[in-house]
mmCIF file of all heavy atoms in Angstrom:
data_model
loop_
_atom_site.group_PDB
_atom_site.id
_atom_site.type_symbol
_atom_site.label_atom_id
_atom_site.label_comp_id
_atom_site.label_asym_id
_atom_site.label_seq_id
_atom_site.Cartn_x
_atom_site.Cartn_y
_atom_site.Cartn_z
ATOM 1 N N MET P 1 -13.808 -77.065 64.670
ATOM 2 C CA MET P 1 -13.622 -75.631 64.893
ATOM 3 C C MET P 1 -14.965 -74.948 65.098
ATOM 4 O O MET P 1 -15.930 -75.244 64.416
ATOM 5 C CB MET P 1 -12.883 -75.021 63.701
ATOM 6 C CG MET P 1 -12.724 -73.518 63.787
ATOM 7 S SD MET P 1 -11.845 -72.824 62.388
ATOM 8 C CE MET P 1 -10.173 -72.885 62.965
ATOM 9 N N LYS P 2 -14.985 -74.045 66.040
ATOM 10 C CA LYS P 2 -16.202 -73.275 66.303
ATOM 11 C C LYS P 2 -16.473 -72.321 65.135
ATOM 12 O O LYS P 2 -15.537 -71.808 64.526
ATOM 13 C CB LYS P 2 -15.991 -72.465 67.581
ATOM 14 C CG LYS P 2 -17.272 -72.013 68.222
ATOM 15 C CD LYS P 2 -16.972 -71.372 69.563
ATOM 16 C CE LYS P 2 -16.324 -70.020 69.339
ATOM 17 N NZ LYS P 2 -16.130 -69.288 70.602
ATOM 18 N N ILE P 3 -17.725 -72.119 64.828
ATOM 19 C CA ILE P 3 -18.097 -71.195 63.756
ATOM 20 C C ILE P 3 -18.997 -70.114 64.324
ATOM 21 O O ILE P 3 -19.973 -70.418 65.013
ATOM 22 C CB ILE P 3 -18.828 -71.939 62.616
ATOM 23 C CG1 ILE P 3 -17.862 -72.923 61.930
ATOM 24 C CG2 ILE P 3 -19.408 -70.964 61.608
ATOM 25 C CD1 ILE P 3 -18.527 -73.813 60.911
ATOM 26 N N ASN P 4 -18.652 -68.881 64.064
ATOM 27 C CA ASN P 4 -19.513 -67.779 64.485
ATOM 28 C C ASN P 4 -20.362 -67.353 63.297
ATOM 29 O O ASN P 4 -19.889 -66.659 62.387
ATOM 30 C CB ASN P 4 -18.659 -66.614 64.996
ATOM 31 C CG ASN P 4 -19.522 -65.505 65.553
ATOM 32 O OD1 ASN P 4 -20.704 -65.406 65.256
ATOM 33 N ND2 ASN P 4 -18.914 -64.649 66.364
ATOM 34 N N ASN P 5 -21.615 -67.769 63.311
ATOM 35 C CA ASN P 5 -22.510 -67.481 62.178
ATOM 36 C C ASN P 5 -22.847 -66.010 62.044
ATOM 37 O O ASN P 5 -23.456 -65.593 61.057
ATOM 38 C CB ASN P 5 -23.800 -68.288 62.323
ATOM 39 C CG ASN P 5 -23.550 -69.757 62.097
ATOM 40 O OD1 ASN P 5 -23.170 -70.171 61.011
ATOM 41 N ND2 ASN P 5 -23.739 -70.557 63.135
ATOM 42 N N SER P 6 -22.462 -65.213 63.021
ATOM 43 C CA SER P 6 -22.731 -63.773 62.963
ATOM 44 C C SER P 6 -21.626 -63.009 62.250
ATOM 45 O O SER P 6 -21.787 -61.833 61.954
ATOM 46 C CB SER P 6 -22.873 -63.200 64.383
ATOM 47 O OG SER P 6 -23.979 -63.794 65.025
ATOM 48 N N ILE P 7 -20.491 -63.691 61.995
ATOM 49 C CA ILE P 7 -19.388 -63.008 61.315
ATOM 50 C C ILE P 7 -19.038 -63.764 60.048
ATOM 51 O O ILE P 7 -18.282 -64.735 60.063
ATOM 52 C CB ILE P 7 -18.132 -62.892 62.220
ATOM 53 C CG1 ILE P 7 -18.478 -62.209 63.545
ATOM 54 C CG2 ILE P 7 -17.033 -62.103 61.490
ATOM 55 C CD1 ILE P 7 -17.315 -62.127 64.526
ATOM 56 N N GLY P 8 -19.626 -63.373 58.945
ATOM 57 C CA GLY P 8 -19.288 -63.950 57.648
ATOM 58 C C GLY P 8 -17.948 -63.413 57.192
ATOM 59 O O GLY P 8 -17.644 -62.239 57.398
ATOM 60 N N CYS P 9 -17.143 -64.267 56.568
ATOM 61 C CA CYS P 9 -15.820 -63.845 56.116
ATOM 62 C C CYS P 9 -15.346 -64.770 55.006
ATOM 63 O O CYS P 9 -15.512 -65.987 55.096
ATOM 64 C CB CYS P 9 -14.830 -63.890 57.287
ATOM 65 S SG CYS P 9 -13.161 -63.399 56.783
ATOM 66 N N THR P 10 -14.757 -64.198 53.970
ATOM 67 C CA THR P 10 -14.243 -65.003 52.857
ATOM 68 C C THR P 10 -12.714 -65.066 52.854
ATOM 69 O O THR P 10 -12.132 -65.602 51.921
ATOM 70 C CB THR P 10 -14.720 -64.426 51.505
ATOM 71 O OG1 THR P 10 -14.219 -63.106 51.370
ATOM 72 C CG2 THR P 10 -16.240 -64.438 51.409
ATOM 73 N N VAL P 11 -12.087 -64.538 53.891
ATOM 74 C CA VAL P 11 -10.613 -64.475 53.934
ATOM 75 C C VAL P 11 -10.060 -65.797 54.483
ATOM 76 O O VAL P 11 -9.678 -65.905 55.647
ATOM 77 C CB VAL P 11 -10.138 -63.278 54.797
ATOM 78 C CG1 VAL P 11 -8.629 -63.119 54.698
ATOM 79 C CG2 VAL P 11 -10.820 -62.000 54.355
ATOM 80 N N ASP P 12 -10.011 -66.815 53.631
ATOM 81 C CA ASP P 12 -9.620 -68.132 54.145
ATOM 82 C C ASP P 12 -8.110 -68.281 54.341
ATOM 83 O O ASP P 12 -7.636 -69.328 54.756
ATOM 84 C CB ASP P 12 -10.202 -69.258 53.292
ATOM 85 C CG ASP P 12 -9.815 -69.171 51.837
ATOM 86 O OD1 ASP P 12 -9.029 -68.277 51.481
ATOM 87 O OD2 ASP P 12 -10.288 -70.011 51.054
ATOM 88 N N GLU P 13 -7.357 -67.224 54.051
ATOM 89 C CA GLU P 13 -5.923 -67.225 54.382
ATOM 90 C C GLU P 13 -5.700 -66.927 55.864
ATOM 91 O O GLU P 13 -4.594 -67.067 56.382
ATOM 92 C CB GLU P 13 -5.176 -66.152 53.561
ATOM 93 C CG GLU P 13 -5.207 -66.381 52.068
ATOM 94 C CD GLU P 13 -6.437 -65.781 51.387
ATOM 95 O OE1 GLU P 13 -7.366 -65.326 52.092
ATOM 96 O OE2 GLU P 13 -6.453 -65.783 50.145
ATOM 97 N N CYS P 14 -6.751 -66.531 56.546
ATOM 98 C CA CYS P 14 -6.643 -66.158 57.956
ATOM 99 C C CYS P 14 -6.731 -67.396 58.845
ATOM 100 O O CYS P 14 -7.523 -68.299 58.586
ATOM 101 C CB CYS P 14 -7.768 -65.185 58.311
ATOM 102 S SG CYS P 14 -7.767 -64.708 60.052
ATOM 103 N N ARG P 15 -5.937 -67.423 59.900
ATOM 104 C CA ARG P 15 -5.920 -68.588 60.801
ATOM 105 C C ARG P 15 -7.229 -68.746 61.574
ATOM 106 O O ARG P 15 -7.508 -69.815 62.098
ATOM 107 C CB ARG P 15 -4.743 -68.513 61.764
ATOM 108 C CG ARG P 15 -4.875 -67.479 62.861
ATOM 109 C CD ARG P 15 -3.751 -67.607 63.859
ATOM 110 N NE ARG P 15 -2.445 -67.352 63.216
ATOM 111 C CZ ARG P 15 -1.309 -67.257 63.879
ATOM 112 N NH1 ARG P 15 -1.305 -67.415 65.172
ATOM 113 N NH2 ARG P 15 -0.195 -67.003 63.249
ATOM 114 N N PHE P 16 -8.035 -67.721 61.628
ATOM 115 C CA PHE P 16 -9.305 -67.786 62.362
ATOM 116 C C PHE P 16 -10.489 -68.123 61.470
ATOM 117 O O PHE P 16 -11.621 -68.234 61.928
ATOM 118 C CB PHE P 16 -9.573 -66.459 63.080
ATOM 119 C CG PHE P 16 -8.481 -66.070 64.025
ATOM 120 C CD1 PHE P 16 -7.785 -64.885 63.862
ATOM 121 C CD2 PHE P 16 -8.133 -66.895 65.088
ATOM 122 C CE1 PHE P 16 -6.767 -64.527 64.726
ATOM 123 C CE2 PHE P 16 -7.113 -66.551 65.970
ATOM 124 C CZ PHE P 16 -6.430 -65.364 65.784
ATOM 125 N N HIS P 17 -10.241 -68.300 60.166
ATOM 126 C CA HIS P 17 -11.334 -68.602 59.242
ATOM 127 C C HIS P 17 -11.828 -70.035 59.464
ATOM 128 O O HIS P 17 -11.043 -70.935 59.761
ATOM 129 C CB HIS P 17 -10.860 -68.443 57.791
ATOM 130 C CG HIS P 17 -11.968 -68.425 56.808
ATOM 131 N ND1 HIS P 17 -12.408 -69.564 56.165
ATOM 132 C CD2 HIS P 17 -12.765 -67.425 56.392
ATOM 133 C CE1 HIS P 17 -13.415 -69.246 55.370
ATOM 134 N NE2 HIS P 17 -13.654 -67.951 55.489
ATOM 135 N N ALA P 18 -13.144 -70.234 59.339
ATOM 136 C CA ALA P 18 -13.746 -71.552 59.592
ATOM 137 C C ALA P 18 -13.500 -72.547 58.462
ATOM 138 O O ALA P 18 -13.936 -73.698 58.547
ATOM 139 C CB ALA P 18 -15.238 -71.399 59.853
ATOM 140 N N LYS P 19 -12.829 -72.106 57.398
ATOM 141 C CA LYS P 19 -12.375 -72.955 56.282
ATOM 142 C C LYS P 19 -13.489 -73.585 55.448
ATOM 143 O O LYS P 19 -13.707 -73.149 54.334
ATOM 144 C CB LYS P 19 -11.422 -74.064 56.759
ATOM 145 C CG LYS P 19 -10.268 -73.551 57.599
ATOM 146 C CD LYS P 19 -9.460 -72.482 56.897
ATOM 147 C CE LYS P 19 -8.351 -71.960 57.805
ATOM 148 N NZ LYS P 19 -7.810 -70.705 57.348
ATOM 149 N N LYS P 20 -14.203 -74.566 55.946
ATOM 150 C CA LYS P 20 -15.215 -75.214 55.112
ATOM 151 C C LYS P 20 -16.407 -74.308 54.873
ATOM 152 O O LYS P 20 -17.164 -74.507 53.929
ATOM 153 C CB LYS P 20 -15.673 -76.523 55.750
ATOM 154 C CG LYS P 20 -14.634 -77.615 55.616
ATOM 155 C CD LYS P 20 -15.139 -78.912 56.202
ATOM 156 C CE LYS P 20 -14.052 -79.975 56.106
ATOM 157 N NZ LYS P 20 -14.256 -81.074 57.032
ATOM 158 N N GLU P 21 -16.600 -73.356 55.764
ATOM 159 C CA GLU P 21 -17.706 -72.419 55.616
ATOM 160 C C GLU P 21 -17.171 -71.008 55.664
ATOM 161 O O GLU P 21 -16.136 -70.754 56.268
ATOM 162 C CB GLU P 21 -18.741 -72.646 56.721
ATOM 163 C CG GLU P 21 -19.272 -74.067 56.698
ATOM 164 C CD GLU P 21 -20.408 -74.251 57.669
ATOM 165 O OE1 GLU P 21 -21.374 -73.490 57.591
ATOM 166 O OE2 GLU P 21 -20.299 -75.151 58.511
ATOM 167 N N SER P 22 -17.897 -70.083 55.036
ATOM 168 C CA SER P 22 -17.396 -68.707 54.952
ATOM 169 C C SER P 22 -17.766 -67.897 56.183
ATOM 170 O O SER P 22 -18.546 -66.935 56.118
ATOM 171 C CB SER P 22 -17.941 -68.041 53.685
ATOM 172 O OG SER P 22 -17.318 -68.612 52.559
ATOM 173 N N PHE P 23 -17.208 -68.316 57.305
ATOM 174 C CA PHE P 23 -17.434 -67.615 58.566
ATOM 175 C C PHE P 23 -16.135 -67.530 59.353
ATOM 176 O O PHE P 23 -15.196 -68.303 59.132
ATOM 177 C CB PHE P 23 -18.482 -68.347 59.412
ATOM 178 C CG PHE P 23 -19.862 -68.313 58.835
ATOM 179 C CD1 PHE P 23 -20.371 -69.409 58.168
ATOM 180 C CD2 PHE P 23 -20.658 -67.180 58.958
ATOM 181 C CE1 PHE P 23 -21.644 -69.381 57.621
ATOM 182 C CE2 PHE P 23 -21.931 -67.142 58.414
ATOM 183 C CZ PHE P 23 -22.428 -68.244 57.744
ATOM 184 N N CYS P 24 -16.142 -66.623 60.311
ATOM 185 C CA CYS P 24 -15.040 -66.480 61.251
ATOM 186 C C CYS P 24 -15.287 -67.397 62.452
ATOM 187 O O CYS P 24 -16.435 -67.712 62.778
ATOM 188 C CB CYS P 24 -14.977 -65.022 61.705
ATOM 189 S SG CYS P 24 -13.618 -64.665 62.817
ATOM 190 N N SER P 25 -14.213 -67.824 63.100
ATOM 191 C CA SER P 25 -14.366 -68.696 64.279
ATOM 192 C C SER P 25 -14.237 -67.915 65.590
ATOM 193 O O SER P 25 -14.440 -68.484 66.661
ATOM 194 C CB SER P 25 -13.319 -69.807 64.243
ATOM 195 O OG SER P 25 -12.024 -69.266 64.353
ATOM 196 N N LEU P 26 -13.891 -66.642 65.503
ATOM 197 C CA LEU P 26 -13.737 -65.857 66.739
ATOM 198 C C LEU P 26 -15.093 -65.411 67.272
ATOM 199 O O LEU P 26 -16.061 -65.294 66.518
ATOM 200 C CB LEU P 26 -12.886 -64.617 66.464
ATOM 201 C CG LEU P 26 -11.434 -64.854 66.056
ATOM 202 C CD1 LEU P 26 -10.745 -63.514 65.750
ATOM 203 C CD2 LEU P 26 -10.683 -65.600 67.147
ATOM 204 N N ASP P 27 -15.150 -65.144 68.579
ATOM 205 C CA ASP P 27 -16.365 -64.591 69.182
ATOM 206 C C ASP P 27 -16.528 -63.121 68.835
ATOM 207 O O ASP P 27 -17.636 -62.583 68.818
ATOM 208 C CB ASP P 27 -16.298 -64.705 70.713
ATOM 209 C CG ASP P 27 -16.398 -66.150 71.166
ATOM 210 O OD1 ASP P 27 -16.982 -66.959 70.418
ATOM 211 O OD2 ASP P 27 -15.890 -66.463 72.241
ATOM 212 N N HIS P 28 -15.405 -62.486 68.565
ATOM 213 C CA HIS P 28 -15.397 -61.038 68.406
ATOM 214 C C HIS P 28 -14.262 -60.657 67.466
ATOM 215 O O HIS P 28 -13.186 -61.244 67.540
ATOM 216 C CB HIS P 28 -15.186 -60.406 69.796
ATOM 217 C CG HIS P 28 -14.790 -58.982 69.761
ATOM 218 N ND1 HIS P 28 -13.469 -58.570 69.761
ATOM 219 C CD2 HIS P 28 -15.532 -57.859 69.716
ATOM 220 C CE1 HIS P 28 -13.436 -57.242 69.728
ATOM 221 N NE2 HIS P 28 -14.668 -56.799 69.700
ATOM 222 N N ILE P 29 -14.503 -59.734 66.580
ATOM 223 C CA ILE P 29 -13.419 -59.190 65.756
ATOM 224 C C ILE P 29 -13.408 -57.683 65.891
ATOM 225 O O ILE P 29 -14.396 -57.077 66.326
ATOM 226 C CB ILE P 29 -13.555 -59.575 64.261
ATOM 227 C CG1 ILE P 29 -14.854 -59.020 63.677
ATOM 228 C CG2 ILE P 29 -13.422 -61.080 64.076
ATOM 229 C CD1 ILE P 29 -14.889 -59.033 62.169
ATOM 230 N N ASN P 30 -12.306 -57.112 65.502
ATOM 231 C CA ASN P 30 -12.179 -55.665 65.520
ATOM 232 C C ASN P 30 -12.095 -55.174 64.080
ATOM 233 O O ASN P 30 -11.177 -55.547 63.344
ATOM 234 C CB ASN P 30 -10.905 -55.280 66.297
ATOM 235 C CG ASN P 30 -10.926 -53.845 66.703
ATOM 236 O OD1 ASN P 30 -11.968 -53.296 67.033
ATOM 237 N ND2 ASN P 30 -9.772 -53.212 66.684
ATOM 238 N N VAL P 31 -13.069 -54.387 63.665
ATOM 239 C CA VAL P 31 -13.059 -53.832 62.314
ATOM 240 C C VAL P 31 -12.389 -52.466 62.368
ATOM 241 O O VAL P 31 -12.721 -51.642 63.224
ATOM 242 C CB VAL P 31 -14.486 -53.714 61.747
ATOM 243 C CG1 VAL P 31 -14.464 -53.057 60.373
ATOM 244 C CG2 VAL P 31 -15.125 -55.091 61.665
ATOM 245 N N VAL P 32 -11.437 -52.272 61.471
ATOM 246 C CA VAL P 32 -10.642 -51.038 61.512
ATOM 247 C C VAL P 32 -10.728 -50.293 60.181
ATOM 248 O O VAL P 32 -11.101 -50.864 59.156
ATOM 249 C CB VAL P 32 -9.160 -51.358 61.806
ATOM 250 C CG1 VAL P 32 -9.022 -52.030 63.169
ATOM 251 C CG2 VAL P 32 -8.553 -52.238 60.720
ATOM 252 N N LYS P 33 -10.378 -49.029 60.232
ATOM 253 C CA LYS P 33 -10.197 -48.270 58.993
ATOM 254 C C LYS P 33 -8.716 -47.985 58.852
ATOM 255 O O LYS P 33 -8.005 -47.841 59.849
ATOM 256 C CB LYS P 33 -11.008 -46.976 59.001
ATOM 257 C CG LYS P 33 -10.709 -46.035 60.141
ATOM 258 C CD LYS P 33 -11.624 -44.828 60.077
ATOM 259 C CE LYS P 33 -11.391 -43.922 61.276
ATOM 260 N NZ LYS P 33 -12.290 -42.744 61.239
ATOM 261 N N HIS P 34 -8.233 -47.962 57.638
ATOM 262 C CA HIS P 34 -6.813 -47.690 57.448
ATOM 263 C C HIS P 34 -6.590 -46.443 56.614
ATOM 264 O O HIS P 34 -5.552 -46.266 55.993
ATOM 265 C CB HIS P 34 -6.065 -48.910 56.902
ATOM 266 C CG HIS P 34 -6.715 -49.573 55.737
ATOM 267 N ND1 HIS P 34 -6.577 -49.127 54.464
ATOM 268 C CD2 HIS P 34 -7.534 -50.656 55.686
ATOM 269 C CE1 HIS P 34 -7.260 -49.908 53.655
ATOM 270 N NE2 HIS P 34 -7.853 -50.839 54.365
ATOM 271 N N GLU P 35 -7.610 -45.599 56.595
ATOM 272 C CA GLU P 35 -7.442 -44.241 56.080
ATOM 273 C C GLU P 35 -7.951 -43.325 57.178
ATOM 274 O O GLU P 35 -8.727 -43.749 58.037
ATOM 275 C CB GLU P 35 -8.244 -44.053 54.785
ATOM 276 C CG GLU P 35 -7.687 -44.887 53.644
ATOM 277 C CD GLU P 35 -8.559 -44.829 52.391
ATOM 278 O OE1 GLU P 35 -9.424 -43.927 52.297
ATOM 279 O OE2 GLU P 35 -8.369 -45.690 51.541
ATOM 280 N N LYS P 36 -7.520 -42.093 57.152
ATOM 281 C CA LYS P 36 -7.903 -41.183 58.230
ATOM 282 C C LYS P 36 -9.418 -41.064 58.334
ATOM 283 O O LYS P 36 -10.012 -41.057 59.411
ATOM 284 C CB LYS P 36 -7.264 -39.806 57.988
ATOM 285 C CG LYS P 36 -7.359 -38.897 59.175
ATOM 286 C CD LYS P 36 -6.542 -37.642 58.953
ATOM 287 C CE LYS P 36 -6.686 -36.728 60.160
ATOM 288 N NZ LYS P 36 -6.083 -35.414 59.912
ATOM 289 N N SER P 37 -10.063 -40.982 57.191
ATOM 290 C CA SER P 37 -11.514 -40.888 57.162
ATOM 291 C C SER P 37 -12.052 -41.917 56.163
ATOM 292 O O SER P 37 -11.748 -41.836 54.972
ATOM 293 C CB SER P 37 -11.911 -39.469 56.757
ATOM 294 O OG SER P 37 -13.304 -39.357 56.701
ATOM 295 N N ALA P 38 -12.810 -42.897 56.634
ATOM 296 C CA ALA P 38 -13.323 -43.950 55.751
ATOM 297 C C ALA P 38 -14.461 -43.405 54.892
ATOM 298 O O ALA P 38 -15.476 -42.941 55.397
ATOM 299 C CB ALA P 38 -13.797 -45.127 56.583
ATOM 300 N N ARG P 39 -14.285 -43.476 53.580
ATOM 301 C CA ARG P 39 -15.307 -42.960 52.669
ATOM 302 C C ARG P 39 -15.859 -44.070 51.778
ATOM 303 O O ARG P 39 -16.777 -43.850 50.992
ATOM 304 C CB ARG P 39 -14.719 -41.862 51.783
ATOM 305 C CG ARG P 39 -14.168 -40.695 52.570
ATOM 306 C CD ARG P 39 -14.806 -39.391 52.107
ATOM 307 N NE ARG P 39 -14.338 -38.285 52.910
ATOM 308 C CZ ARG P 39 -15.025 -37.792 53.935
ATOM 309 N NH1 ARG P 39 -16.193 -38.328 54.253
ATOM 310 N NH2 ARG P 39 -14.561 -36.776 54.630
ATOM 311 N N ASN P 40 -15.265 -45.243 51.834
ATOM 312 C CA ASN P 40 -15.768 -46.350 51.023
ATOM 313 C C ASN P 40 -15.389 -47.677 51.686
ATOM 314 O O ASN P 40 -14.638 -47.711 52.665
ATOM 315 C CB ASN P 40 -15.225 -46.271 49.592
ATOM 316 C CG ASN P 40 -13.723 -46.146 49.570
ATOM 317 O OD1 ASN P 40 -13.028 -46.775 50.356
ATOM 318 N ND2 ASN P 40 -13.216 -45.320 48.664
ATOM 319 N N GLN P 41 -15.904 -48.760 51.156
ATOM 320 C CA GLN P 41 -15.686 -50.083 51.724
ATOM 321 C C GLN P 41 -14.209 -50.448 51.768
ATOM 322 O O GLN P 41 -13.740 -51.109 52.703
ATOM 323 C CB GLN P 41 -16.447 -51.097 50.873
ATOM 324 C CG GLN P 41 -16.417 -52.499 51.440
ATOM 325 C CD GLN P 41 -17.201 -53.463 50.564
ATOM 326 O OE1 GLN P 41 -18.112 -53.068 49.837
ATOM 327 N NE2 GLN P 41 -16.860 -54.713 50.619
ATOM 328 N N GLU P 42 -13.457 -50.015 50.752
ATOM 329 C CA GLU P 42 -12.046 -50.376 50.671
ATOM 330 C C GLU P 42 -11.224 -49.784 51.812
ATOM 331 O O GLU P 42 -10.113 -50.234 52.086
ATOM 332 C CB GLU P 42 -11.452 -49.907 49.326
ATOM 333 C CG GLU P 42 -11.888 -50.738 48.137
ATOM 334 C CD GLU P 42 -13.343 -50.530 47.744
ATOM 335 O OE1 GLU P 42 -13.868 -49.418 47.953
ATOM 336 O OE2 GLU P 42 -13.965 -51.479 47.260
ATOM 337 N N ALA P 43 -11.752 -48.793 52.478
ATOM 338 C CA ALA P 43 -11.024 -48.146 53.576
ATOM 339 C C ALA P 43 -11.179 -48.902 54.896
ATOM 340 O O ALA P 43 -10.584 -48.521 55.896
ATOM 341 C CB ALA P 43 -11.509 -46.714 53.741
ATOM 342 N N THR P 44 -11.957 -49.972 54.904
ATOM 343 C CA THR P 44 -12.177 -50.739 56.142
ATOM 344 C C THR P 44 -11.675 -52.174 55.979
ATOM 345 O O THR P 44 -11.626 -52.707 54.871
ATOM 346 C CB THR P 44 -13.666 -50.784 56.533
ATOM 347 O OG1 THR P 44 -14.374 -51.625 55.628
ATOM 348 C CG2 THR P 44 -14.271 -49.399 56.541
ATOM 349 N N ASP P 45 -11.295 -52.779 57.086
ATOM 350 C CA ASP P 45 -10.752 -54.141 57.063
ATOM 351 C C ASP P 45 -10.926 -54.792 58.415
ATOM 352 O O ASP P 45 -11.184 -54.122 59.414
ATOM 353 C CB ASP P 45 -9.255 -54.117 56.746
ATOM 354 C CG ASP P 45 -8.973 -54.098 55.261
ATOM 355 O OD1 ASP P 45 -9.538 -54.937 54.547
ATOM 356 O OD2 ASP P 45 -8.200 -53.234 54.818
ATOM 357 N N CYS P 46 -10.643 -56.096 58.439
ATOM 358 C CA CYS P 46 -10.635 -56.815 59.702
ATOM 359 C C CYS P 46 -9.288 -56.606 60.400
ATOM 360 O O CYS P 46 -8.252 -56.993 59.875
ATOM 361 C CB CYS P 46 -10.868 -58.298 59.460
ATOM 362 S SG CYS P 46 -10.841 -59.214 61.015
ATOM 363 N N GLY P 47 -9.331 -56.036 61.580
ATOM 364 C CA GLY P 47 -8.118 -55.800 62.350
ATOM 365 C C GLY P 47 -7.695 -57.020 63.142
ATOM 366 O O GLY P 47 -6.642 -57.005 63.787
ATOM 367 N N SER P 48 -8.479 -58.085 63.104
ATOM 368 C CA SER P 48 -8.159 -59.299 63.854
ATOM 369 C C SER P 48 -7.491 -60.357 62.986
ATOM 370 O O SER P 48 -7.145 -61.432 63.466
ATOM 371 C CB SER P 48 -9.435 -59.888 64.467
ATOM 372 O OG SER P 48 -10.046 -58.942 65.308
ATOM 373 N N PHE P 49 -7.307 -60.059 61.694
ATOM 374 C CA PHE P 49 -6.678 -61.008 60.765
ATOM 375 C C PHE P 49 -5.288 -61.418 61.246
ATOM 376 O O PHE P 49 -4.491 -60.582 61.663
ATOM 377 C CB PHE P 49 -6.558 -60.366 59.378
ATOM 378 C CG PHE P 49 -5.708 -61.151 58.415
ATOM 379 C CD1 PHE P 49 -6.265 -62.154 57.650
ATOM 380 C CD2 PHE P 49 -4.345 -60.881 58.299
ATOM 381 C CE1 PHE P 49 -5.472 -62.880 56.759
ATOM 382 C CE2 PHE P 49 -3.552 -61.601 57.414
ATOM 383 C CZ PHE P 49 -4.116 -62.599 56.649
ATOM 384 N N LYS P 50 -5.028 -62.715 61.175
ATOM 385 C CA LYS P 50 -3.667 -63.218 61.367
ATOM 386 C C LYS P 50 -3.421 -64.278 60.312
ATOM 387 O O LYS P 50 -4.270 -65.152 60.085
ATOM 388 C CB LYS P 50 -3.484 -63.821 62.760
ATOM 389 C CG LYS P 50 -3.255 -62.780 63.836
ATOM 390 C CD LYS P 50 -2.627 -63.408 65.059
ATOM 391 C CE LYS P 50 -2.087 -62.387 66.048
ATOM 392 N NZ LYS P 50 -3.045 -61.431 66.526
ATOM 393 N N LEU P 51 -2.268 -64.210 59.676
ATOM 394 C CA LEU P 51 -1.930 -65.145 58.611
ATOM 395 C C LEU P 51 -1.877 -66.576 59.146
ATOM 396 O O LEU P 51 -1.387 -66.816 60.257
ATOM 397 C CB LEU P 51 -0.592 -64.760 57.996
ATOM 398 C CG LEU P 51 -0.156 -65.526 56.742
ATOM 399 C CD1 LEU P 51 -1.172 -65.337 55.618
ATOM 400 C CD2 LEU P 51 1.216 -65.052 56.297
ATOM 401 N N GLU P 52 -2.399 -67.490 58.352
ATOM 402 C CA GLU P 52 -2.362 -68.919 58.707
ATOM 403 C C GLU P 52 -0.931 -69.370 58.943
ATOM 404 O O GLU P 52 -0.022 -68.928 58.282
ATOM 405 C CB GLU P 52 -2.969 -69.699 57.532
ATOM 406 C CG GLU P 52 -3.183 -71.159 57.783
ATOM 407 C CD GLU P 52 -4.361 -71.403 58.684
ATOM 408 O OE1 GLU P 52 -5.485 -71.263 58.217
ATOM 409 O OE2 GLU P 52 -4.125 -71.714 59.858
ATOM 410 N N GLY P 53 -0.748 -70.247 59.903
ATOM 411 C CA GLY P 53 0.587 -70.826 60.098
ATOM 412 C C GLY P 53 1.279 -70.367 61.353
ATOM 413 O O GLY P 53 0.773 -69.633 62.125
HETATM 414 S S1 SF4 J 1 -10.304 -62.706 62.066
HETATM 415 FE FE1 SF4 J 1 -11.155 -61.384 60.478
HETATM 416 S S2 SF4 J 1 -10.140 -62.020 58.571
HETATM 417 FE FE2 SF4 J 1 -9.848 -63.629 60.100
HETATM 418 S S3 SF4 J 1 -11.505 -65.090 59.717
HETATM 419 FE FE3 SF4 J 1 -12.178 -63.666 61.328
HETATM 420 S S4 SF4 J 1 -13.279 -62.041 60.233
HETATM 421 FE FE4 SF4 J 1 -12.049 -63.148 58.740
#
């Protein structure tokens, strides 16, 4: 699996996670906010996440 060393990620439940290493395998991800106005880290997430399987 390809590893993108520029995108660190610990979400190993995601089908795009590099598994053995804490990186994403995609060339590009979309980071999103899920509150109208992001005021803290918890208000942001990876919009490219897809559940394994
Ligand atoms: S798509 Fe997002 S959640 Fe999935 S491995 Fe890449 S950075 Fe992590």
